[in-house]
Amino acid sequence: METPDITAAAGGLRTLLAAGVERWKPQVEEMARNIHGYQEVSFAEVRSAEAIAALLESGGFEVERGTSELPTAFSASTGTGSLTVALCVEYDALPGIGHACGHNLIAGASVAAALALAPFVDDLGITLKAIGTPAEEHGGGKALMLERGAFDGVGLALMVHPVQDGLTYNPTGTSAQAVGRYRATFTGKAAHAAAAPHQGVNAADAAVLSQVAIGLLRQQIPGDHRIACYVAEAGQVTNIIPEKAVVEFECRAFTLPEFEALLVRVRRCFEGAALATGTTLEFQDSEPLYEPLLQDDDLASYWTDAMDVLGKDTSPAAGLSGGSTDMGNISQVIPSLHPWLSIPGADVPIHSHAFAALADTPQAYEVMFEGGTALAWTIAAATSSPTQRDRFTQAAYRRRTLTQESAS
């Protein structure tokens, strides 16, 4: 199928899409501000998901709520084209700190792009989906939705992410780390801490020793690897030797082999602590594995061109960036783009109270709408190219079924 060249018509498709974003600005900003105020955490984003779904419905999208058996997920669709494009929408907050990762802005940018593109889906020959993906911070909503079919048939997937000021808007060469999150449970033996401490087996000691071992290990790992942990439980009162201690921990690296090797070394820190204290040890996966992020070079080129038009810094990135996202799981099987939006004046780190406050400022919402405009332009340009269109169509995601796996 040859896609009509409407880029030069009616003042250019870019002009029309920018006007579409402008038209929806009041409703989208109100939605984003409300989400910022709701501060709903993973899998509890009830009001946030409904606010987004209702706005998309008002823009002509057909909305399925509770997608992939996740109550706060949704899938909004418009168009019947042979190429399916997905805009990922995030809206969960961080526990105790609110929208310190700017997910209200992520939601606003994707929704603005979707609403602007909606009138042109037939001209572009696409089926456009805005997929509500809960629990990005903790829980791996996208990983679960990918496994359960929400991305079946999708040929390209996009979203944007706000960050501190001063970073380039060029996503080429950037990535995000794989992360796995786990729970280590030490079990000892309770005893009176004064009358018979020698009869106890102190699980809290095992938790302390594991943290010390991990701290020493950090000296011997590559600079782009990360380990983090906290003690979730280690006794309740001072006069009882703690018989149970729980340590939540995570490991990160930019490749899966590096991640797996790091995990082995971290687990040995816990195993050594258990051996030293005489406790027993159990590991549990606490969340799905987030895979490394792969940026599609062609989508990155279209995005960078859009950012040039908007007058942004598109100098080459300094190198791989940190952090992790379940968008990585999508990017491993679908051509994807996850660029960064630098908020002017944001000289504080993400995942801080200060960044949460900045995510609800006029400059943040201005950047959000620039991101929405650039997303719309990127999708229009990519799907208007016959070569790219064929590539994305061929790349449409098809899950392997149990029957296919057994046959292979």
Side-chain angles (χ1 to χ4, degrees):
M1 167 184 169
E2 287 292 327
T3 303
D5 181 8
I6 61 174
T7 310
L13 182 54
R14 278 182 170 175
T15 300
L16 297 173
L17 291 171
V21 170
E22 188 70 27
R23 174 195 166 197
W24 286 99
K25 268 188 176 181
Q27 298 95 318
V28 174
E29 183 168 335
E30 180 183 13
M31 177 204 75
R33 287 186 181 278
N34 287 339
I35 291 170
H36 188 277
Y38 295 153
Q39 299 187 26
E40 295 173 309
V41 298
S42 296
F43 297 122
E45 316 97 325
V46 176
R47 290 181 293 174
S48 300
E50 182 54 35
I52 300 166
L55 182 54
L56 289 166
E57 278 182 328
S58 74
F61 284 78
E62 182 177 341
V63 179
E64 172 195 76
R65 292 167 171 81
T67 301
S68 301
E69 301 178 0
L70 300 176
T72 55
F74 65 82
S75 183
S77 301
T78 187
T80 58
S82 58
L83 174 60
T84 300
V85 180
L87 282 160
C88 293
V89 188
E90 295 178 4
Y91 35 90
D92 60 315
L94 285 155
I97 202 169
H99 277 286
C101 210
H103 287 197
N104 61 313
L105 306 175
I106 294 172
S110 288
V111 170
L115 291 169
L117 281 163
F120 305 101
V121 290
D122 291 336
D123 295 315
L124 291 169
I126 64 174
T127 297
L128 179 63
K129 291 189 173 184
I131 301 179
T133 59
E136 188 277 336
E137 293 293 356
H138 290 281
K142 291 185 195 63
L144 297 174
M145 295 179 76
L146 183 69
E147 293 173 358
R148 298 175 185 180
F151 288 86
D152 287 1
V154 171
L156 62 159
L158 305 90
M159 60 169 287
V160 298
H161 198 298
V163 290
Q164 302 97 314
D165 193 8
L167 298 183
T168 176
Y169 281 72
N170 185 342
T172 303
T174 63
S175 183
Q177 297 157 309
V179 62
R181 295 184 172 117
Y182 309 94
R183 180 175 299 113
T185 302
F186 296 101
T187 302
K189 181 180 178 182
H192 195 293
H198 58 288
Q199 294 181 357
V201 176
N202 197 318
D205 287 350
V208 171
L209 286 175
S210 65
Q211 289 182 292
V212 171
I214 289 169
L216 294 172
L217 175 62
R218 286 193 180 100
Q219 303 174 68
Q220 310 300 324
I221 62 175
D224 60 1
H225 289 26
R226 294 290 183 269
I227 312 167
C229 65
Y230 73 95
V231 178
E233 180 182 347
Q236 296 175 311
V237 292
T238 58
N239 62 344
I240 301 175
I241 297 296
E243 65 179 341
K244 180 181 179 182
V246 178
V247 181
E248 303 279 351
F249 71 99
E250 64 177 38
C251 301
R252 304 187 194 225
F254 279 106
T255 70
L256 286 176
E258 289 177 320
F259 162 79
E260 290 162 357
L262 177 62
L263 178 59
V264 169
R265 299 179 73 184
V266 173
R267 285 173 64 110
R268 287 174 180 163
C269 293
F270 289 99
E271 291 163 357
L275 178 63
T277 56
T279 55
T280 59
L281 173 64
E282 179 183 1
F283 290 110
Q284 293 176 296
D285 296 355
S286 56
E287 297 184 21
L289 175 67
Y290 289 26
E291 298 186 53
L293 176 67
L294 301 177
Q295 305 278 26
D296 183 86
D297 287 343
D298 292 325
L299 289 175
S301 178
Y302 288 123
W303 169 270
T304 301
D305 181 59
M307 286 290 117
D308 282 332
V309 173
L310 294 172
K312 302 300 182 182
D313 175 15
T314 57
S315 57
L320 297 174
S321 56
S324 305
T325 171
D326 57 2
M327 189 68 179
N329 299 57
I330 305 300
S331 74
Q332 291 287 332
V333 294
I334 299 171
S336 298
L337 187 68
H338 182 286
W340 320 101
L341 294 175
S342 187
I343 299 177
D347 57 354
V348 296
I350 60 173
H351 288 209
S352 68
H353 287 287
F355 195 89
L358 279 167
D360 190 36
T361 58
Q363 62 265 36
Y365 292 118
E366 180 180 350
V367 168
M368 177 184 78
F369 286 118
E370 289 174 340
T373 301
L375 280 175
W377 287 357
T378 299
I379 290 169
T383 58
S384 294
S385 163
T387 300
Q388 295 295 342
R389 183 183 184 86
D390 182 64
R391 180 171 75 91
F392 294 131
T393 301
Q394 293 297 318
Y397 181 60
R398 299 170 180 85
R399 279 180 299 159
R400 290 175 62 86
T401 65
L402 291 175
T403 301
Q404 288 173 322
E405 290 173 355
S406 60
S408 62

